[in-house]
Amino acid sequence: HTAAGPPAGADELAAMRELNLVAPVAFTEIKARYRALVKIHHPDINGGDKRAEERLKRINQAYTTLKAFYGG
């Protein structure tokens, strides 16, 4: 894999959209965006807001997908 990663498939592109990223992107950028979004959408910060909780679940899934894809 290169710094910007291999060509992404549909799952990876959807995961990037969930994290508000545009390919090509380095894994360090993915990790930084993931951490920033977790801080914004964490349920402890949002007083148990169900929308924030659902968004956090999607963010975590997207990060898991991209981490596996990039070998992060």
Side-chain angles (χ1 to χ4, degrees):
H1 297 134
T2 63
D11 289 343
E12 292 78 26
L13 291 174
M16 285 184 205
R17 280 192 301 274
E18 189 66 49
L19 298 179
N20 301 318
L21 295 166
V22 178
V25 62
F27 186 72
T28 55
E29 294 175 67
I30 293 168
K31 192 173 184 178
R33 179 64 55 92
Y34 167 75
R35 289 180 175 180
L37 289 171
V38 166
K39 288 178 183 178
I40 294 168
H41 296 286
H42 197 281
D44 291 346
I45 294 170
N46 289 286
D49 180 353
K50 292 295 182 188
R51 290 184 309 173
E53 187 176 329
E54 288 302 315
R55 176 80 167 110
L56 183 62
K57 287 178 186 178
R58 293 192 313 270
I59 290 166
N60 283 329
Q61 181 58 48
Y63 181 71
T64 299
T65 298
L66 293 171
K67 186 175 179 183
F69 181 71
Y70 281 85

